Amino acid sequence: MQYISQIIFTLILIAGIGYFASNVKKLFRNIKLGKDLDVSDNKPQRWKNMAKIALGQTKMVVRPIAGFLHVIVYVGFIVINIEVLEIVIDGVFGTHRIGLHVLNKSVYGFLIGTFEVLAVLVLTSVIIFWIRRNIIKLKRFWSAEMTGWPKSDGNIILYFEVVLMCLFLLMNATDATFQNLGSGNIVSQFIAPLFEGMSEGNVHMIERTAWWIHIIGILVFLNYLYFSKHLHILLAFPNTYYGKLIPKGQFSNNEAVTKEVKLMMDPSADPFAAPAEDAPVPEKFGASDVTDLSWVQLLNAYTCTECGRCTSECPANITGKKLSPRKIMMDTRDRLVEVGKNIDANKGTFVPDGKQLLGDYITNEELWACTSCNACVQACPVSIDPLSIIMDMRQYLVMEQSAAPSDLNNMMGNIENNGAPWPFNQQDRLNWANES
Amino acid sequence: MSNEINVPTMASLFAEGKQPEVLFWVGCAGSFDDRAKKITKAFVKILNKANVNFAVLGTEESCTGDPAKRAGNEFLFQMQAVTNIEVLNAYDVKKVVTACPHCFNTLKNEYPGLGGTYEVVHHTQFLKQLLEEGRITMEGGKFKGKRITFHDPCYLGRANDVYEAPRDLIRKLDAELVEMKSCKTRGLCCGAGGAQMFKEAEKGDKEINIERTEQALEVQPDIIAAGCPFCNTMMTDGVKNKEKEASIAVMDIAELIASADDL
């Protein structure tokens, strides 16, 4: 009988981690639905970016208040997780506060004391975050795309953190052994008196309950990640590693087009040559669905935290236009999840569902409102590039569907005929030199 | 102000067997737009004064393809690029200077992948270099005490991290450089990038250039300085919209320097 709780604990742990692992597998599969992109270059710079941007949070603190609070929650999250290690060992081996057997009292006290202080700081930050979202109603959390799930997702994460932090403090406060230790109970010593007068058995029951809910809560939270924008706590690292290294203004040259252009410019090419029988299907220009995007762009979509810093810097959005770079990323993720579910439901193959990212999720109006100014790319704290998706979809609209706004068609016609976006003759290009 | 300017073309220099130090890529706006032509001329006057051995392509220049690419027409962009690269390579061009951040970005970043690799500098970088080498001098007096704010062109600033060259030049004019609330990495677009210059804006509450002009007016400048012909047009329109054209001038950095030197 004495092993029963250890067995239950181990089973819960395996189930929790197992379910998470199976979802991570799906995550990888979905991201790999994207086109291949070689990002094996410049590894030192990539590691540096990851260390600076993800680990060092350098872009978070551009906005000092949110940035500072985020750093607290981030550090708290990482450090307090050391405590989870102890919980897991205790749970599996039936020990209690194994740390006390391994470390000396003052070291253990210092560690737990630090966790308690961090727990209070995290609690405070999370409450401020909640107030910013729900009472101050910061504009970026109340945009059109932030209703329904995205809105509740944001709050659920905050509630989770509040509950977990409270449970951690409660667990310490009701642990007689720990309180008697008199070391490290920096915060919990003030909560402990609440339970004075209760029977020893009841206090112990509360301690055990808090302990169990805390670890189960952590496992539930772990599995919640896959369905949530909170996935960024894991994906921010690879995403910053694979982020764009070249100047922001440099858009990649579509190689499929280069081949066509070279052929056209080659005077010896036969313009009437029929394609070889076994020639591959010509590549689609640009992107109309998630599978036309690169895997890095899909990773971007899963990494998006929906913080809206991109949208609040977007000149089109600021002036009331439909475009929101955050919505571009959310739409991409939503569609990718939909495609993934389709594949799961159809035994591993995608069955066309008559939908696509373009039109069903992202409208032409949004795409054409972009000024390609890179404000969204600059603003993103985790190196997401919404602009690249917008540009790929514009390519599809123009090169596959000839669906550019008529003004742009005029501009392109002028470039083609006169070598300038306006209807002026190329022969007049130097006239300015002689005009007074 | 004299109107005598000397603008050699690559073709004429080539005929004489000469190779200029730098090619001045004028760009479509700089060649055809009435406002932007003034920027082109101001820059040429400075080049003449500094005895810079430069040339333009003239009728051999064509659109870089930037607006086509940003509009999604990769095919047209690459056709333009490949054609331009053939011309540039035929003249064995090594260094290019341009007053248009869009041409600057495309020539510098996107042409190398298609076979055209050059040292490309924006005119503000080039002017700063001339100043440092002592080839031009700036007699500040004229702008002393004037409040000048600089509007960062997206394709110069955020796209290519050039923030200081234009600002250094303004400071050298003895002017008071005042920054808008959105500047440098957080600068706000003028509304013309990404081929927006050539189409109606999507429906919204406001035009982007009006929003940007309002930000500029907040710092009560005497002059709004720009480093891009498109930004110049957008900000000029914004100032007109606010009926401030009598008190606030929109000027390119090259125009500021040319006028300080009374060229």
Side-chain angles (χ1 to χ4, degrees):
Chain A
M1 276 306 282
Q2 57 169 330
Y3 296 114
I4 195 133
S5 72
Q6 281 167 259
I7 294 168
I8 293 173
F9 182 90
T10 310
L11 288 177
I12 292 175
L13 192 67
I14 291 171
I17 293 173
Y19 185 59
F20 179 67
S22 78
N23 278 334
V24 167
K25 232 175 102 183
K26 268 189 212 169
L27 186 73
F28 272 105
R29 183 205 61 197
N30 288 358
I31 289 173
K32 278 189 189 151
L33 292 173
K35 281 194 194 160
D36 251 350
L37 184 72
D38 183 21
V39 270
S40 58
D41 60 322
N42 213 343
K43 289 200 172 73
Q45 185 59 44
R46 292 186 181 280
W47 284 110
K48 225 169 102 186
N49 283 355
M50 185 169 97
K52 252 172 46 188
I53 304 168
L55 201 64
Q57 308 254 310
T58 44
K59 290 186 93 176
M60 278 307 294
V61 291
V62 170
R63 298 195 181 185
I65 300 173
F68 179 66
L69 296 173
H70 187 269
V71 169
I72 291 177
V73 176
Y74 162 73
V75 172
F77 172 80
I78 293 175
V79 175
I80 296 171
N81 266 321
I82 301 173
E83 168 65 10
V84 177
L85 185 70
E86 184 183 46
I87 296 181
V88 169
I89 297 173
D90 283 347
V92 174
F93 298 102
T95 49
H96 184 67
R97 292 201 180 254
I98 184 81
L100 271 176
H101 301 279
V102 186
L103 307 165
N104 82 38
K105 184 181 128 179
S106 58
V107 175
Y108 186 79
F110 173 76
L111 280 176
I112 302 287
T114 311
F115 302 160
E116 287 199 351
V117 171
L118 276 170
V120 172
L121 288 175
V122 169
L123 210 52
T124 319
S125 307
V126 165
I127 290 167
I128 299 173
F129 276 145
W130 187 87
I131 293 171
R132 281 160 60 89
R133 264 177 194 269
N134 299 286
I135 297 180
I136 302 176
K137 299 196 176 183
L138 285 193
K139 194 172 164 251
R140 63 191 165 107
F141 299 124
W142 289 81
S143 313
E145 66 268 23
M146 294 309 284
T147 52
W149 172 244
K151 183 165 171 256
S152 28
D153 185 22
N155 281 328
I156 289 170
I157 294 160
L158 297 178
Y159 300 142
F160 250 116
E161 304 245 13
V162 169
V163 172
L164 288 179
M165 290 306 116
C166 288
L167 284 169
F168 173 69
L169 291 172
L170 181 65
M171 184 181 101
N172 285 352
T174 51
D175 188 330
T177 340
F178 178 63
Q179 290 302 326
N180 290 335
L181 196 66
S183 171
N185 54 346
I186 299 177
V187 179
S188 59
Q189 59 176 313
F190 300 106
I191 307 170
L194 293 176
F195 303 96
E196 263 167 29
M198 266 190 208
S199 76
E200 212 174 292
N202 282 348
V203 176
H204 183 66
M205 267 288 286
I206 297 175
E207 191 269 336
R208 282 292 88 192
T209 313
W211 187 91
W212 276 98
I213 302 178
H214 186 236
I215 187 67
I216 292 172
I218 287 170
L219 288 172
V220 172
F221 194 47
L222 176 73
N223 280 290
Y224 178 77
L225 292 187
Y226 175 71
F227 305 95
S228 155
K229 74 188 187 92
H230 217 51
L231 203 46
H232 79 276
I233 62 169
L234 301 174
L235 296 186
F237 293 89
N239 202 70
T240 47
Y241 180 86
Y242 292 118
K244 187 169 175 176
L245 295 182
I246 52 177
K248 288 189 198 67
Q250 179 180 345
F251 298 175
S252 58
N253 292 321
N254 189 327
E255 277 169 35
V257 175
T258 311
K259 263 186 271 171
E260 299 278 328
V261 170
K262 289 231 166 94
L263 203 65
M264 266 194 73
M265 306 287 280
D266 179 6
S268 61
D270 174 6
F272 303 109
E277 293 267 319
D278 56 349
V281 183
E283 222 174 315
K284 175 157 128 190
F285 295 127
S288 62
D289 208 349
V290 285
T291 45
D292 304 324
L293 296 170
S294 78
W295 67 267
V296 174
Q297 288 168 316
L298 300 185
L299 174 65
N300 277 184
Y302 271 120
T303 309
C304 177
T305 322
E306 301 166 15
C307 70
R309 291 184 182 209
C310 52
T311 293
S312 71
E313 298 275 324
C314 171
N317 194 276
I318 289 171
T319 54
K321 290 155 186 88
K322 278 237 171 70
L323 174 64
S324 161
R326 167 172 60 189
K327 181 177 170 291
I328 300 286
M329 299 319 299
M330 291 166 70
D331 286 341
T332 304
R333 177 177 173 154
D334 287 350
R335 173 60 182 159
L336 184 55
V337 168
E338 186 178 59
V339 169
K341 282 185 183 156
N342 180 314
I343 293 175
D344 290 333
N346 295 297
K347 302 189 183 76
T349 49
F350 177 72
V351 174
D353 57 358
K355 285 207 230 167
Q356 58 172 13
L357 183 59
L358 178 66
D360 296 303
Y361 287 86
I362 299 171
T363 61
N364 295 11
E365 184 181 346
E366 292 165 66
L367 297 173
W368 291 120
C370 175
T371 66
S372 76
C373 74
N374 265 305
C376 55
V377 183
Q378 177 76 44
C380 182
V382 289
S383 307
I384 292 171
D385 185 353
L387 179 55
S388 69
I389 298 180
I390 295 173
M391 283 301 141
D392 285 353
M393 295 184 84
R394 278 191 180 180
Q395 264 187 29
Y396 177 84
L397 282 175
V398 171
M399 297 178 70
E400 293 280 345
Q401 298 201 313
S402 306
S406 62
D407 288 342
L408 289 187
N409 281 332
N410 289 339
M411 177 271 287
M412 293 185 285
N414 288 329
I415 292 179
E416 222 171 318
N417 299 321
N418 316 320
W422 297 288
F424 295 112
N425 194 320
Q426 188 160 359
Q427 292 309 309
D428 294 335
R429 266 206 182 248
L430 200 50
N431 289 2
W432 59 267
N434 304 313
E435 290 166 6
S436 57
Chain B
M1 228 187 253
S2 83
N3 277 314
E4 284 299 302
I5 50 172
N6 177 24
V7 193
T9 62
M10 287 301 279
S12 62
L13 289 190
F14 188 76
E16 294 168 35
K18 288 184 195 157
Q19 177 78 8
E21 172 191 345
V22 62
L23 167 76
F24 171 31
W25 185 276
V26 182
C28 301
S31 304
F32 293 121
D33 181 87
D34 284 336
R35 177 70 188 84
K37 278 194 259 188
K38 292 182 182 157
I39 303 170
T40 308
K41 283 189 179 176
F43 184 57
V44 168
K45 281 175 188 168
I46 303 170
L47 294 178
N48 283 164
K49 172 103 192 257
N51 284 321
V52 175
N53 177 14
F54 77 102
V56 298
L57 281 172
T59 55
E60 288 185 279
E61 189 186 285
S62 184
C63 173
T64 58
D66 162 83
K69 188 177 181 88
R70 315 296 137 179
N73 196 336
E74 179 77 5
F75 193 82
L76 179 56
F77 161 72
Q78 290 201 16
M79 291 291 285
Q80 287 296 121
V82 170
T83 315
N84 283 325
I85 288 168
E86 273 182 9
V87 175
L88 291 167
N89 288 354
Y91 284 121
D92 199 22
V93 169
K94 298 275 187 290
K95 185 169 179 174
V96 181
V97 62
T98 177
C100 173
H102 296 269
C103 297
F104 165 73
N105 177 68
T106 308
L107 290 165
K108 176 174 176 284
N109 297 321
E110 286 158 5
Y111 276 28
L114 299 166
T117 307
Y118 321 100
E119 183 197 347
V120 186
V121 292
H122 186 246
H123 71 314
T124 56
Q125 296 174 307
F126 194 73
L127 291 170
K128 191 185 164 198
Q129 203 185 330
L130 290 181
L131 193 71
E132 279 166 359
E133 288 167 0
R135 293 169 75 177
I136 51 170
T137 49
M138 276 151 61
E139 307 301 332
K142 194 165 177 178
F143 292 99
K144 197 168 183 141
K146 289 258 196 264
R147 289 171 69 83
I148 302 184
T149 189
F150 180 67
H151 162 76
D152 287 285
C154 305
Y155 274 84
L156 184 65
R158 253 192 316 267
N160 287 291
D161 293 323
V162 180
Y163 299 109
E164 291 311 317
R167 287 183 168 77
D168 285 345
L169 291 167
I170 293 173
R171 286 190 202 101
K172 284 274 190 280
L173 288 169
D174 253 355
E176 189 190 345
L177 175 65
V178 284
E179 296 288 1
M180 291 181 237
K181 72 171 177 192
S182 303
C183 64
K184 298 183 185 171
T185 52
R186 294 184 80 176
L188 186 79
C189 176
C190 71
Q196 296 293 345
M197 183 75 189
F198 307 100
K199 64 185 262 297
E200 288 291 315
E202 272 56 38
K203 209 164 88 24
D205 312 324
K206 205 191 249 182
E207 296 296 336
I208 294 171
N209 66 325
I210 302 297
E211 174 76 20
R212 185 53 168 167
T213 305
E214 284 169 0
Q215 287 191 353
L217 296 184
E218 269 172 31
V219 297
Q220 297 172 322
D222 298 304
I223 296 164
I224 300 171
C228 168
F230 297 102
C231 295
N232 197 307
T233 301
M234 297 307 264
M235 298 306 283
T236 304
D237 287 351
V239 170
K240 275 188 195 147
N241 181 280
K242 297 280 168 194
E243 294 175 355
K244 294 271 188 213
E245 66 266 37
S247 54
I248 300 173
V250 180
M251 290 174 86
D252 191 89
I253 301 277
E255 293 178 302
L256 288 173
I257 294 170
S259 103
D261 218 4
D262 225 3
L263 292 173

